[in-house]
Amino acid sequence: MSWIDLVTNPQGLREVFNQNPPLLNGVSLHELVVDREGPTLQLKLDLPAYPANPPAKWIRCGFNTVQIRLLFGGVSDLRLVGISTEVVADVDIKAGDGVVLELRSPSMFVSASAASVTVSKLEAYVDGRREVVSE
C-alpha cells in the first residue's frame, strides 16, 4: 500500500502526478506545526520529484518545485527528537491504528500516530536552488 492510498483526498496528487505520486524520500521539511485543536500535526514539505506533465499554469510560471502540506488529524502520539534549520528527510506514512508517520533525517526524528492524513495544500513555486523545468 502506497502512502497516497492512506490520504483522505488523493485526487489532486493523482491528477498532478498522473497516478504515480513520488516517494517521500529526500523531502525538504519547511515547517512542522502542532495544534491542540484536533489535535493536529501539519508538515510542509517540498517533494523531491516534479511531475512529468505539470499543470499548464505551473509551466507558464516556470515552477520547478511541488510543495505539499500534510495534515494529520486526531493525533494520539507524537515524538520529536532533534531539530535543524535545513532538514532533508525520508518520510514514511503507513497504516496502523489510523496512520503512522515517521520522518527521519540525520538531525531530526519525528513519529506520530493519527486518525487520518489529508492533503491540506498542494502548490508549486520556483526554488532558486533548483533547475527550472521547461517544456
Side-chain angles (χ1 to χ4, degrees):
M1 176 180 288
S2 168
W3 69 274
I4 194 166
D5 297 321
L6 301 172
V7 174
T8 60
N9 60 339
Q11 303 85 347
L13 273 171
R14 290 190 195 281
E15 287 174 17
V16 168
F17 285 96
N18 297 319
Q19 303 294 326
N20 297 312
L23 298 176
L24 297 178
N25 296 330
V27 299
S28 179
L29 175 67
H30 282 260
E31 191 174 82
L32 182 150
V33 178
V34 178
D35 191 333
R36 70 181 185 181
E37 297 300 322
T40 62
L41 167 67
Q42 181 172 262
L43 299 178
K44 181 177 172 182
L45 309 166
D46 282 355
L47 298 179
Y50 195 78
N53 297 303
K57 177 182 177 184
W58 293 7
I59 294 170
R60 280 193 311 274
C61 294
F63 295 153
N64 62 358
T65 304
V66 177
Q67 190 168 85
I68 187 171
R69 291 181 194 231
L70 296 175
L71 181 67
F72 294 84
V75 174
S76 59
D77 184 55
L78 174 62
R79 294 186 184 148
L80 169 64
V81 178
I83 194 162
S84 177
T85 58
E86 294 288 328
V87 177
V88 176
D90 293 339
V91 175
D92 187 28
I93 301 170
K94 55 190 170 195
D97 186 18
V99 293
V100 176
L101 163 72
E102 282 194 0
L103 180 146
R104 294 179 184 277
S105 82
S107 60
M108 189 175 196
F109 173 78
V110 178
S111 67
S113 297
S116 64
V117 59
T118 303
V119 175
S120 63
K121 193 166 197 177
L122 177 66
E123 60 189 345
Y125 74 100
V126 176
D127 182 341
R129 297 172 294 179
R130 291 186 183 187
E131 183 179 318
V132 175
V133 176
S134 60
E135 290 181 69

